[in-house]
Amino acid sequence: MKENDNLMTLVDENGNETLYEVLFTFESDDYEKSYILLIPAGTQPEEQVDVLAFSFDPDENGEASDAELHDIESDEEWDMVEGVLDTFLNDENMQ
């Protein structure tokens, strides 16, 4: 994973690189983890896109710069992340 400001390049299992924009990061006290939500780079606000979500290990500054991303595995954790995303998308003050 490489990061440049608000952009990250993810490499899939076939070695294909895709550029993503960091939508936002947040911490969950319930799960004691940090989370990052990504959308494809260059997405327009009105576009319907899939949002990728991962937990990550923040660096010493609490950032996701060189973080290792982890898949979210439990349904309960996914429900919590989706709730935070819904709040973000529906609250104009957060965007």
Side-chain angles (χ1 to χ4, degrees), residues 28-33 80:
S28 167
D29 291 335
D30 291 341
Y31 291 94
E32 297 181 349
K33 292 182 184 178
M80 179 274 302

Side-chain angles (χ1 to χ4, degrees):
M1 175 181 69
K2 303 174 210 166
E3 181 185 356
N4 181 4
D5 293 316
N6 238 14
L7 299 176
M8 288 188 162
T9 300
L10 299 184
V11 181
D12 68 16
E13 63 276 355
N14 298 321
N16 299 315
E17 293 186 359
T18 306
L19 189 62
Y20 287 91
E21 182 178 341
V22 176
L23 188 58
F24 65 94
T25 61
F26 69 97
E27 293 182 20
S28 167
D29 291 335
D30 291 341
Y31 291 94
E32 297 181 349
K33 292 182 184 178
S34 296
Y35 295 89
I36 187 167
L37 283 80
L38 306 170
I39 57 173
T43 299
Q44 298 303 312
E46 65 278 355
E47 268 185 87
Q48 292 289 323
V49 295
D50 289 331
V51 176
L52 300 182
F54 300 94
S55 64
F56 72 94
D57 300 321
D59 64 15
E60 62 276 356
N61 298 319
E63 302 292 324
S65 58
D66 290 324
E68 185 171 326
L69 302 181
H70 307 283
D71 290 331
I72 299 170
E73 297 179 1
S74 77
D75 290 341
E76 295 82 11
E77 208 171 347
W78 268 117
D79 290 344
M80 179 274 302
V81 170
E82 287 175 350
V84 172
L85 177 59
D86 287 344
T87 300
F88 173 82
L89 293 175
N90 293 313
D91 186 342
E92 294 173 2
N93 294 325
M94 294 182 73
Q95 296 184 22

